[in-house]
Amino acid sequence: MLEYLPILYSIFLVISLCSSIILLIPKVSLNYVRIHIGVLTLPPLVALLALIFHVDNIIWGPLHFNTLTWLMAVFVLTVGLIVQRFSVHFLVGDRSYRQYFSLLTLTTAAGSLAWLSDDLRLLLICWGTTLLGLTLTIRLKKEWQVAKKAASTMGRYFTISWFVLLAAILWLTQTTGYWQLSQVMTQDSLALLETWEKTCINLLLVISVLIPAGQWPFQRWILDSAVAPTPISAVMHAGIVNAGGILLTLFAPLFNGSIAQIPLLILASVSVLIGTGIMFVQVDYKRQLVGSTIAQMGFMLIQCALGAYIAAIIHAVLHGLFKSTLFLQAGSALHHDQPLKKSKKPASFIGKFSGIMFGILAAIGFWAASPEDAYQLISAIILGFSVSFAWMQLIVFGHGRIGRISGLILFIAGALVYGLVHTGFHHLLHETIGTGAQPSIPAFLCLMFILFIGSAIGLWLSRNRTSRGFTILYLWLVQLGEPNQAAVESHPKYLTQYMSQGGKKDEFSINIK
């Protein structure tokens, strides 16, 4: 029975696409959208069952079903389902109401098929369809020039990324003689590539993943995309920008030990620093989330460059779920009726010392588990800082005894959840993904240098807020985080045109109850 799950999944995915086409028919009632949402629950449910019962390593036609591809199918389709359910009321009244659901269904279905593809031609088609669907979704408001401009910028960047990926795949397949990913990634096939050919193909792959991930210096499109409707932003930041880590994981045997790790590490590390800076200086909530995404995707690509592909996949999934939640609750981000909070009192010496000690102990314990792994040292440093920060925020700065006790409970609960999630994902994926090759010493030292310099500059600037350097950096980050002038409009002019039509009634003025 379990061997038929791939066929059942494919049938339900086709039914979902047919349902999205039915929704486009004007004579079909808008209430059909609820039936459509019900249909969308079937493919991720089948994928989840396959994941639970470990239906692994099945090649069915051009598709390859294993724990990684099932997980990606569950993740992408579940995010799409949640967003479309949220959009039932959020987008009601929009003239493109039907088109939004159809394009979202097409985009998420194509995205899930891209990572299920064993045929690289199908992967190219599905990934290109995903990028095209996202661009067209943002472009639906043709009357709004700002959205139109943002979609044009996004389309140009995505087109470049897709053609670069096309060049890498054509080079790879023509040299190895195979279009099947499972055959291309074998040691015998990769042995046909010269060292310089591997390096060139890897550099092409790096460029193709940096662009959709919104990494520096290709972050312009993701900054302009903040004008997209909230549900579209949720899908984009949860399932599209994460694709870089998934793509590099699929090509891991080709990428491991390559000199292309160094430029990837440099660009991703710079993106972490820039994204974090944009997040701190922006006052617009959605742009803060955009800056956070740039930084988080930088960390994910650093994990890939260091061979920690399981960690990158875990990061991609958890970041996608977390970031989509933040976007969907963006409307409740500001509470104007609440008074401003008083600044926190300086922490005591005991509080600071305890936070530092807990961070050091956590880092030592984590690194001691596998000291030979270079990535573990970097993870230990980041984990130690996170533990120290969490201890300070939840316990040291807690309000009263009850607040500190609650903070301690949350601290312990967070540590337990982290351990369970990390262990569960690692157990699920370690046979499919495995452990990547260790990074070279120059790559490791390059990353440590960039992160150390960035941390040192941030610490110095935080203590010298009145300095000239702080002012220059602050204004530079503000300017870097702002959209193009053509992507800014004080008031959407198309709304004025709609209001001047005298409230003409049409089917999009119907409220769905």
Side-chain angles (χ1 to χ4, degrees):
M1 178 63 182
L2 295 177
E3 61 269 18
Y4 294 107
L5 287 179
I7 300 176
L8 190 62
Y9 171 84
S10 303
I11 292 174
F12 284 153
L13 199 63
V14 172
I15 293 175
S16 299
L17 292 172
C18 293
S19 177
S20 67
I21 296 175
I22 294 174
L23 188 60
L24 290 175
I25 301 174
K27 292 184 178 180
V28 175
S29 172
L30 285 179
N31 290 322
Y32 177 78
V33 71
R34 294 189 177 278
I35 300 176
H36 177 67
I37 297 298
V39 172
L40 293 181
T41 62
L42 299 177
L45 182 60
V46 173
L48 180 60
L49 290 175
L51 197 61
I52 293 174
F53 291 103
H54 204 67
V55 180
D56 193 19
N57 203 25
I58 296 177
I59 296 180
W60 185 65
L63 304 179
H64 187 189
F65 297 91
N66 54 40
T67 52
L68 173 61
T69 56
W70 281 126
L71 176 63
M72 290 299 100
V74 172
F75 168 62
V76 173
L77 295 178
T78 301
V79 170
L81 172 63
I82 295 173
V83 169
Q84 292 202 46
R85 180 63 186 87
F86 176 86
S87 302
V88 170
H89 289 287
F90 185 89
L91 294 174
V92 68
D94 195 288
R95 291 176 179 270
S96 302
Y97 188 79
R98 297 175 184 269
Q99 289 89 334
Y100 273 116
F101 287 96
S102 296
L103 284 175
L104 282 174
T105 302
L106 174 64
T107 302
T108 53
S112 67
L113 282 177
W115 313 129
L116 284 166
S117 302
D118 188 50
D119 193 306
L120 291 174
R121 290 166 293 193
L122 181 61
L123 187 150
L124 279 169
I125 293 172
C126 291
W127 179 234
T129 303
T130 303
L131 298 177
L132 178 62
L134 181 63
T135 305
L136 293 177
T137 305
I138 296 179
R139 197 181 177 87
L140 279 178
K141 287 186 178 297
K142 298 179 181 179
E143 305 86 352
W144 193 10
Q145 295 301 317
V146 171
K148 189 176 180 180
K149 176 63 178 177
S152 298
T153 302
M154 180 184 299
R156 288 195 299 270
Y157 276 88
F158 284 173
T159 301
I160 295 173
S161 172
W162 188 85
F163 274 104
V164 171
L165 179 61
L166 173 64
I169 288 179
L170 286 178
W171 193 337
L172 186 61
T173 55
Q174 294 305 309
T175 304
T176 60
Y178 296 107
W179 281 99
Q180 288 71 30
L181 182 63
S182 56
Q183 293 180 326
V184 170
M185 291 297 109
T186 60
Q187 293 298 324
D188 292 339
S189 296
L190 295 180
L192 299 175
L193 295 168
E194 300 289 342
T195 302
W196 68 271
E197 287 184 299
K198 285 186 179 180
T199 301
C200 293
I201 294 174
N202 287 328
L203 289 175
L204 290 175
L205 289 174
V206 167
I207 295 174
S208 69
V209 302
L210 286 175
I211 295 176
Q215 298 296 278
W216 184 84
F218 309 108
Q219 79 284 353
R220 174 52 51 197
W221 75 265
I222 198 171
L223 293 170
D224 289 351
S225 69
V227 301
T230 298
I232 311 306
S233 297
V235 169
M236 179 173 62
H237 287 257
I240 307 301
V241 297
N242 301 2
I246 305 171
L247 191 64
L248 291 180
T249 301
L250 294 178
F251 289 93
L254 174 68
F255 193 80
N256 285 339
S258 171
I259 196 175
Q261 289 176 317
I262 295 180
L264 178 59
L265 280 173
I266 294 175
L267 294 176
S269 301
V270 172
S271 299
V272 169
L273 301 178
I274 290 178
T276 304
I278 291 175
M279 179 180 63
F280 283 141
V281 302
Q282 282 291 330
V283 295
D284 182 88
Y285 181 70
K286 291 187 72 173
R287 297 198 185 280
Q288 290 177 359
L289 295 181
V290 170
S292 172
T293 296
I294 295 174
Q296 291 298 321
M297 292 304 96
F299 274 119
M300 181 190 67
L301 294 180
I302 288 174
Q303 291 167 329
C304 291
L306 295 177
Y309 295 103
I310 294 180
I313 295 299
I314 297 174
H315 194 157
V317 173
L318 297 184
H319 170 266
L321 295 175
F322 177 67
K323 191 55 64 71
S324 61
T325 302
L326 291 180
F327 270 104
L328 294 182
Q329 67 172 9
S332 59
L334 296 178
H335 302 279
H336 298 287
D337 57 336
Q338 294 184 359
L340 295 175
K341 294 182 179 180
K342 297 181 180 180
S343 59
K344 298 178 181 179
K345 296 180 180 180
S348 63
F349 172 78
I350 297 178
K352 291 181 178 179
F353 180 77
S354 62
I356 294 173
M357 288 304 300
F358 270 105
I360 293 175
L361 291 175
I364 293 175
F366 187 82
W367 185 43
S370 54
E372 74 284 354
D373 192 342
Y375 173 73
Q376 293 296 99
L377 176 58
I378 299 173
S379 297
I381 296 173
I382 297 175
L383 179 63
F385 175 79
S386 301
V387 169
S388 178
F389 181 80
W391 180 269
M392 296 289 291
Q393 295 298 316
L394 294 175
I395 300 172
V396 177
F397 290 125
H399 297 284
R401 182 177 298 177
I402 300 299
R404 287 190 287 271
I405 293 175
S406 301
L408 179 61
I409 294 174
L410 289 174
F411 182 83
I412 297 174
L416 292 175
V417 170
Y418 168 80
L420 290 174
V421 170
H422 186 273
T423 302
F425 272 98
H426 191 275
H427 177 73
L428 181 68
L429 298 172
H430 77 281
E431 292 183 0
T432 302
I433 298 179
T435 303
Q438 290 300 301
S440 61
I441 296 299
F444 175 74
L445 294 177
C446 176
L447 174 62
M448 294 299 297
F449 176 77
I450 293 176
L451 294 180
F452 175 77
I453 293 297
S455 301
I457 293 175
L459 181 63
W460 183 83
L461 291 173
S462 64
R463 296 183 177 182
N464 298 271
R465 295 176 178 268
T466 58
S467 65
R468 179 183 178 89
F470 179 87
T471 303
I472 294 175
L473 180 61
Y474 180 87
L475 294 177
W476 179 72
L477 288 172
V478 170
Q479 182 183 16
L480 190 65
E482 289 297 315
N484 285 326
Q485 190 67 27
V488 178
E489 195 172 47
S490 59
H491 180 75
K493 297 178 181 179
Y494 76 95
L495 291 179
T496 304
Q497 296 175 358
Y498 286 168
M499 295 177 64
S500 65
Q501 294 176 359
K504 181 181 178 181
K505 295 183 179 180
D506 53 26
E507 64 168 331
F508 298 102
S509 63
I510 300 174
N511 290 326
I512 299 179
K513 299 181 180 180

